[in-house]
Amino acid sequence: MTITELGLAAQSASRALAASTGAQRNAALSAMAEALAAQEQDILAANELDMQAAAQNGMSQSLQDRLALTPSRVEGMRQGILELVAAPDPLGLVLGGGVRPNGLRIQQVSVPLGVIGMIYEARPNVTADAAALCLKSGNAVILRGGKEAIHSNKAIADCLRGAAASAGLPADCVQLIGDASRESARALMRANGLIDVLIPRGGAGLIRAVVEESSVPVLETGEGVCHTYVDAAADLAMALDIAENAKCSRPSVCNAMETLLVHEKIAPAYLPRLAERLAKYPVELRCDAASLPLCGGVPATEDDWAAEYDDLILSVKIVASLEEALAHIARYGTKHSECVVTGDYAAAQAFLQAVDAAAVYVNASTRFTDGGEFGLGAEIGIVARQKLHARGPLGLRHLTSYKYMIYGDGQVR
């Protein structure tokens, strides 16, 4: 099918979803969760085809980790859908309004966005997450995954489409573009009048391409050049634990730390111990001139400060002050997640106020920037970094808009 055909089918499905009840959408979600369990072996077999191709094509281990599905990850997808069943209905909420002097009763009511387009890379779980979130919020979705996960995505999408239909909702509320070429992505970016909003989810190159090339409104997510600044007043043991977790717990995700900034007063005591800890993974350290003798890594280049490695690589820089750390973050950060480790209340508050990012931490790992960890439930995008409509983890409420409903009894103007 062409993008136009997919878009028209999605628009028809979105009208049916907008008219559906919360109970109907929850029934469809429950059917989706059951279908994932019933078809787990088919999904894993499809994923194995993608994993074999990834290995043959030399895909990095961190990207293979993103691509891989296991029984526990399929179960995680299923549990995520069941959590949405239990979540409050985001539609039909009265957000504001009142009665005007002329007697008009005005209500501002939450409604679906309509048709959402998703462009994403080698994460097949996004197929299930996005489909379920869109259905819960009354939106149809057109999914365009990466070629690396084409078999996995098709198996999951077919499973979910069948489940939606079995529950009485249109199968076309979930559609997957079978062609993972650049041309299909460009067509989706140009589908004005068919798609209401486009959400890219992936690496910096993908996000940048969609933002720059799309004529459809874009809800920008992703790209995390996240920093941890270890202040002079930091607790050493805490700073070691936070840095290790932020870099090593899952280096391929966008909320992992990519650059470590360390105050010069604490660096001699801190950096050798950190280097010893990180060596067991092992993490490659790319250091400025001041930190190199303390870490035993390799010299950093200018490009390293702006790099999102998504791997076991960490840039390290020694700074003379909080102000220097803030200036570095302002220059190289991507407004995703930033952390300060300090026991100085004034320094913590200054960091919180000065850093322009969706999530700013004091004495905690940046790895917590996640819809589930924030109590928002499943998310369609890890972090929106812009300031209009949504910022931070993108959950159900961010997939709604509103319209005004006005009740009168014959008023004219």
Side-chain angles (χ1 to χ4, degrees):
M1 295 177 71
T2 66
I3 294 297
T4 298
E5 291 169 331
L6 291 172
L8 291 172
Q11 286 187 330
S12 177
S14 74
R15 290 190 289 271
L17 286 176
S20 67
T21 66
Q24 288 173 315
R25 296 192 301 278
N26 281 342
L29 288 169
S30 296
M32 288 179 167
E34 291 176 9
L36 284 176
Q39 299 178 38
E40 177 184 298
Q41 292 307 312
D42 293 337
I43 292 169
L44 293 177
N47 182 248
E48 181 58 28
L49 295 176
D50 292 328
M51 292 300 296
Q52 290 173 6
Q56 291 169 3
N57 294 329
M59 179 185 285
S60 70
Q61 287 300 314
S62 61
L63 290 180
Q64 287 191 47
D65 175 61
R66 292 185 178 194
L67 176 60
L69 290 177
T70 62
S72 64
R73 288 187 177 182
V74 175
E75 176 61 17
M77 289 157 48
R78 195 180 77 85
Q79 289 299 324
I81 293 176
L82 292 176
E83 288 174 8
L84 285 174
V85 174
D89 189 347
L91 302 181
L93 303 178
V94 178
L95 306 175
V99 180
R100 301 295 298 153
N102 61 4
L104 285 178
R105 182 161 57 91
I106 300 174
Q107 290 185 340
Q108 182 190 31
V109 181
S110 61
V111 297
L113 290 171
V115 178
I116 294 174
M118 279 283 297
I119 298 178
Y120 54 105
E121 294 178 321
R123 283 184 182 272
N125 63 292
V126 174
T127 302
D129 295 346
L133 280 159
C134 289
L135 190 147
K136 177 76 176 187
S137 55
N139 297 289
V141 65
I142 299 176
L143 303 162
R144 191 277 189 186
K147 64 181 183 297
E148 305 87 353
I150 190 68
H151 296 96
S152 307
N153 290 338
K154 186 176 186 306
I156 295 169
D158 287 347
C159 170
L160 300 180
R161 283 170 55 84
S166 73
L169 293 180
D172 286 340
C173 65
V174 178
Q175 297 188 74
L176 177 74
I177 299 174
D179 171 15
S181 67
R182 291 185 179 181
E183 288 70 27
S184 69
R186 290 194 186 99
L188 201 58
M189 294 179 211
R190 298 286 190 268
N192 298 75
L194 296 172
I195 296 174
D196 294 286
V197 66
L198 189 59
I199 302 176
R201 183 166 172 177
L206 170 68
I207 305 296
R208 193 174 303 115
V210 173
V211 170
E212 292 175 356
E213 297 181 30
S214 179
S215 56
V216 173
V218 175
L219 191 50
E220 183 180 354
T221 70
E223 195 181 2
V225 179
C226 303
H227 299 77
T228 299
Y229 166 54
V230 179
D231 186 50
D235 177 278
L236 204 62
M238 179 191 294
L240 289 168
D241 289 342
I242 288 173
E244 180 179 4
N245 178 265
K247 179 71 261 182
C248 305
S249 62
R250 198 171 179 192
S252 64
V253 294
C254 64
N255 57 21
M257 172 180 62
E258 304 291 17
T259 297
L260 177 70
L261 305 173
V262 183
H263 195 285
E264 61 185 10
K265 289 183 179 179
I266 202 171
Y270 177 71
L271 284 176
R273 290 177 62 181
L274 180 68
E276 183 179 356
R277 273 210 195 191
L278 301 187
K280 64 186 178 185
Y281 287 93
V283 176
E284 177 185 326
L285 301 177
R286 299 185 181 178
C287 307
D288 72 338
S291 63
L292 190 59
L294 299 172
C295 294
V298 299
T301 67
E302 178 63 24
D303 290 343
D304 284 312
W305 307 124
E308 183 181 21
Y309 299 117
D310 291 332
D311 206 345
L312 287 169
I313 304 171
L314 177 67
S315 333
V316 182
K317 182 179 178 66
I318 292 177
V319 295
S321 63
L322 169 64
E323 291 70 28
E324 186 180 346
L326 291 172
H328 183 98
I329 292 169
R331 179 175 179 182
Y332 297 105
T334 55
K335 302 184 179 182
H336 189 298
S337 301
E338 310 292 0
C339 165
V340 59
V341 185
T342 185
D344 183 334
Y345 177 81
Q349 292 303 307
F351 191 89
L352 288 170
Q353 295 300 320
V355 170
D356 182 10
V360 188
Y361 292 83
V362 176
N363 296 334
S365 169
T366 56
R367 288 281 289 110
F368 284 102
T369 307
D370 174 274
E373 295 292 341
F374 281 14
L376 302 176
E379 57 196 7
I380 201 162
I382 298 290
V383 168
R385 300 172 298 136
Q386 77 276 19
K387 299 178 183 179
L388 294 178
H389 174 61
R391 198 178 198 196
L394 295 177
L396 274 176
R397 62 189 178 90
H398 304 115
L399 298 179
T400 64
S401 182
Y402 57 82
K403 63 182 175 185
Y404 289 95
M405 298 181 180
I406 303 97
Y407 299 85
D409 54 7
Q411 288 89 340
V412 294
R413 182 177 181 182

